[in-house]
Amino acid sequence: MAATSHSTGAAAAPAPPVTSSRKLVLLGESAVGKSSLVLQFVKGQFDDYRESTIGAAFLTQTVPVESGNFVKFEIWDTAGQERYKSLAPMYYRSAHAAVVVYDITSAASLLKARAWISELQRQADPSIVVCLAGNKLDLADAGQRQVSTDEAQKFADEEGLMFAEVSAKTAQGVEDMFKRIAERMPVDTAAAKSRTGASLAGRGGVNLNQGSGNSVTDGCAC
Amino acid sequence: MPLWSRTPQPPPPSQAARSPPATQASLSTSPPPPPGFLANHHRRSSSNLDTAHTRAPSGPGSPGRSTAPRLQVHKAGKGRAQRTVAEADELGADDEPWDTNSDEEHELDPSSLVARIGGVSLSIPASSSSGAPQPGGAAGSAAAAASTPVSPTSASASASATTTPTSSSWSFNPFRGASVPAPAAPVRTASGSSSLAAAEAVAAALSGRGGALSARPAPPMQPQRGASYLAGASRVQEEADKVVRAEEQRRSLERGETKPALVDEPEEMDVPGTDKDGTEEDQEGEARKEEESEREEKGEGWAKEQCRRAIRRDVDELVKDPAHVLERLKVAWAAPTAPPAPTAHRASISSVVEPSPNPNKGPADDDDDDDDDPTRGYVQLDAPALSSTDPSIVEFDAPPPNPEEEGERGREKRRRRKFLDVLASDNVDLGELRKLAWSGVPDELRTMVWQLLLGYLPAPLSRRAATLARKRSEYASLVRQAFSRGVGGLDGPIWHQISIDVPRTRPGVKLWMAEATQRSLERVLYVWAIRHPASGYVQGINDLVTPFFQVFLQGYIDADPETFDVSTLPPSVLEALEADSFWCLSKLLDGIQDNYIFAQPGIQRLVKKMDGLCARVDAPLAAHLKEQGVEFIQFAFRWMNCLLMRELSVKNIVRMWDTYLAEGGDAFSEFHLYVCLAFLVRWSDTLREMDFQSIIIFLQSLPTQDWTDKDTELLLSEAFLWSRTFQAR
């Protein structure tokens, strides 16, 4: 996303509509529903059982924002198992947004989410928009909830994160969450846009769009 | 999930509904491992080490092989993760070399075990020490088998001709007529039954739910449950799963009633992120629904009966020695055939391929015997084909001029006959077998061939039955040990990860969605993981079990394994199937362990190497990928981690493994690298037209759904050419 480094966050371009590509990464413990969340968002699908994600999976989805423009999310859905942790920096380093997912029926998964958030605060671009997402909201009524909304909301507020409770299964809150994130994304100017298409490739580049002085510089983890 | 949290939080009140507080409490205060556990293991593995070291150089039945290639693999990763690789080295060092006969099996390194396993509270029943592998050849194995606690497996394997396996779940075998289940009291030595009793005591306590988890009393064994040692383990598994997977189970129950209403046809989405997995699963989901409705119509009993009917008549003999299949095939394949085609024209392109003395290769090619040319299958592919036994000669085969038996059918017939000849020998010539297997193994013979090539099944006929019986009994005691202390005795994090991955292994395939199969998979993975503490269970390993399990299952039935209900198998057969899958998985993973240890240096190295090789074999593609900012790790990681199992069908994978196993050595890392390279380059034209996003999306859902063996074989032959070209340098 090297080309977006010129964007200023101006959402003013009235016409023609501009589509800004923004990189988003999903993090969180294994089996909290990261892939399901993305699949619901991108394809409106849900499977009770999905193969575990190995390494990371890539998908895109475009959402309209209030300014009349569009944000195209390039989503890296990472693997949750601890063993794959060393791959994660490669994906979150140049990300504009991160969705850190936990499972509302698992207190342990919130702990893991906290760990991811503190890693992001240390390692990711300071301008990254982080959203804490409590998945499996559909199980709340079944009495399986282990993490209260208040507790998670409080934590999110303390850390200055966006927060949402969602259900990848019923789609409840999913689109809304991504839209809210999209609204927080800086929009390319029309001029910058013309360069964007070709250079999405610049994955190795760092997102510098809001002054990332101390971000870990480019290159991948490999 | 809170259960396995290393820092347990006070559960909110609502949580009481899903798991009894008593269970929680006793779990979190699970006692440390008894002193006997580590001591036992230490003693046991020390003796293993000694044996392995003295024995390894003279691995029988494998000309010219040694442990060297494998050890190099470990060393290669050293720069990156020295400590863990060293750990893996230790682990690997006392393992078998790739294909020595494995009836003296050793794994488990004392130091790494102690280092890693700290919190694991496993107990080894006193009886288990007698189950330690023993040195020596056939005599040794026999002695070992005798002194090992005899499991129901070995008991039934050795006495299967006369005894009826007994289990509550096994009551009727259409091929032997209705057999009255004997009161389930399998043959078992005193020591064996005591450990089983302990396991079942826990199980019994657990089934009472809520209480007594920490008490672990040892009530008298309940006869109905004694039919299979797997039953005891299953109880523990069930209970553990109840606790860990409460919500998953609830959802799977709900699934029947409320199908998600949000499923759209992925093709209709205007989003580029259409992903193969989703599509496939949808189709599989449809198939599943159909099957379910069919089953509802005709009844569960009918479906089970169909499965029982599909079990082979001679299943007991097959379990005892897979070579029994030859009896049937000698007749089935005996149709008159023309004499083998004379030697075909050969065009040597040895200038292309540099001679690379390969220690993995068997005896030199036999020129006047063309039928075993491993490259025969490639004639029609126009692929560079060559004798795998002599890397210095690359041959293009011309079609056999024999008019009587031209074409693939005749060739296939001759190959089959050749297979029968080689396999029927009292001491299978593994070199010959490799040559044959390289270009594919007939389905009927795959169990035997794979097990031979993996070094699991001994080449000498005289040792097979005893070895198999012993390995299965050894696995039985491993399972008993692993589950003997109930839920509290399980390694929490490992169990948690396995228990959430098992239900999502090959989702949508009936075989893998069935309870009985999932329990087996769980045991195999868990026992492997706790025996390999340097890596533990890593996602993707679950995928690697499935080809073994399906291939071995296929050997016992006359039906599609993917729709088969394994709970209809006689317990002794399921036990053998599971144990064989376990040992063969272990053999496979031995060669690629640094793919799964900390930081996965094996994969990192292979991906890097692939990157470099791509620039040499397809510079334009490499340049394009670089220009678009595509990193190899972004797509090839999965290719290495799951051995392309997420990219190709199981059928394709099984065909590929024929060749990998024939290649031997470090084929699952090094040769696989070249297969991946060939796989990538195959899409070169398409990829070079794409931008970053399209490339990534395309590469993670490649259009291989319609691939046949031919496609796979083309890949393999290209990989072969490259591997011989580049490995020599």
Side-chain angles (χ1 to χ4, degrees), chain B residues 444-491:
Chain B
E444 298 87 342
L445 293 171
R446 195 167 272 122
T447 297
M448 185 182 181
V449 172
W450 278 20
Q451 292 184 0
L452 280 164
L453 292 180
L454 276 164
Y456 175 58
L457 188 68
L461 176 65
S462 58
R463 285 166 46 194
R464 280 183 211 146
T467 301
L468 284 183
R470 189 172 49 76
K471 297 306 286 184
R472 289 162 184 170
S473 128
E474 202 182 316
Y475 175 71
S477 62
L478 290 172
V479 168
R480 276 195 293 265
Q481 288 160 22
F483 295 94
S484 62
R485 284 170 46 92
V487 180
L490 299 174
D491 178 301

Side-chain angles (χ1 to χ4, degrees), chain B residues 254-550:
Chain B
E254 284 170 358
R255 184 174 49 175
E257 302 140 25
T258 53
K259 285 274 172 194
L262 301 148
V263 179
D264 282 312
E265 285 303 312
E267 288 81 4
E268 287 167 14
M269 305 298 293
D270 53 352
V271 182
T274 343
D275 140 25
K276 183 189 89 179
D277 295 351
T279 318
E280 259 185 6
E281 280 162 25
D282 270 359
Q283 288 162 351
E284 282 164 353
E286 287 300 315
R288 188 172 62 219
K289 267 182 251 169
E290 279 170 29
E291 273 164 21
E292 277 168 8
S293 62
E294 189 188 28
R295 218 185 317 159
E296 276 166 28
E297 274 173 35
K298 299 190 178 175
E300 193 79 34
W302 178 84
K304 278 189 189 293
E305 186 53 35
Q306 291 303 109
C307 288
R308 285 196 192 99
R309 281 177 197 281
I311 299 168
R312 292 199 179 279
R313 213 174 272 271
D314 53 354
V315 68
D316 288 329
E317 276 72 30
L318 287 169
V319 165
K320 215 155 75 180
D321 180 2
H324 184 77
V325 73
L326 302 175
E327 307 287 319
R328 169 162 36 97
L329 297 179
K330 270 176 194 162
V331 179
W333 292 354
T337 51
T343 305
H345 309 295
R346 289 180 169 180
S348 170
I349 54 162
S350 51
S351 56
V352 175
V353 178
E354 296 193 2
S356 57
N358 188 334
N360 294 343
K361 289 302 149 203
D365 189 16
D366 195 2
D367 257 16
D368 54 16
D369 198 3
D370 240 9
D371 287 337
D372 56 359
D373 185 333
T375 60
R376 275 233 161 249
Y378 300 101
V379 171
Q380 281 126 0
L381 299 171
D382 281 3
L386 77 154
S387 154
S388 69
T389 57
D390 185 354
S392 65
I393 301 171
V394 180
E395 299 149 1
F396 287 107
D397 275 15
N402 185 340
E404 290 170 44
E405 225 181 327
E406 242 176 304
E408 201 168 349
R409 187 179 293 173
R411 186 180 311 118
E412 197 49 42
K413 235 175 198 174
R414 290 194 300 278
R415 286 191 70 238
R416 285 173 163 194
R417 208 175 43 218
K418 200 76 192 164
F419 264 112
L420 288 186
D421 288 349
V422 170
L423 293 173
S425 160
D426 283 350
N427 192 354
V428 172
D429 181 340
L430 291 177
E432 284 297 309
L433 186 59
R434 278 176 206 291
K435 284 158 69 178
L436 280 171
W438 207 96
S439 34
V441 179
D443 290 344
E444 298 87 342
L445 293 171
R446 195 167 272 122
T447 297
M448 185 182 181
V449 172
W450 278 20
Q451 292 184 0
L452 280 164
L453 292 180
L454 276 164
Y456 175 58
L457 188 68
L461 176 65
S462 58
R463 285 166 46 194
R464 280 183 211 146
T467 301
L468 284 183
R470 189 172 49 76
K471 297 306 286 184
R472 289 162 184 170
S473 128
E474 202 182 316
Y475 175 71
S477 62
L478 290 172
V479 168
R480 276 195 293 265
Q481 288 160 22
F483 295 94
S484 62
R485 284 170 46 92
V487 180
L490 299 174
D491 178 301
I494 290 179
W495 180 261
H496 171 66
Q497 191 66 55
I498 290 173
S499 68
I500 57 181
D501 279 358
V502 162
R504 50 182 182 160
T505 301
R506 306 220 50 218
V509 177
K510 191 177 158 194
L511 172 68
W512 294 104
M513 294 296 97
E515 177 87 8
T517 328
Q518 293 190 350
R519 293 282 174 241
S520 277
L521 178 61
E522 236 165 36
R523 285 187 291 263
V524 167
L525 292 173
Y526 182 72
V527 173
W528 187 86
I530 58 171
R531 280 169 60 86
H532 294 82
S535 63
Y537 167 74
V538 178
Q539 289 181 326
I541 293 179
N542 55 334
D543 290 340
L544 302 183
V545 182
T546 61
F548 287 123
F549 196 90
Q550 290 190 202

Side-chain angles (χ1 to χ4, degrees), chain B residues 607-660:
Chain B
V607 169
K608 212 166 208 171
K609 203 169 165 189
M610 184 177 164
D611 194 343
L613 285 168
C614 181
R616 297 173 72 178
V617 305
D618 189 344
L621 175 62
H624 181 71
L625 293 178
K626 190 165 189 184
E627 183 199 314
Q628 289 297 316
V630 175
E631 306 264 356
F632 276 64
I633 194 89
Q634 289 167 338
F635 62 90
F637 183 89
R638 189 167 83 172
W639 294 9
M640 302 298 173
N641 192 82
C642 301
L643 297 178
L644 287 175
M645 287 205 62
R646 299 282 177 97
E647 279 66 39
L648 299 169
S649 70
V650 170
K651 189 175 174 298
N652 294 153
I653 290 295
V654 163
R655 171 61 194 87
M656 267 175 35
W657 286 15
D658 287 345
T659 299
Y660 284 20

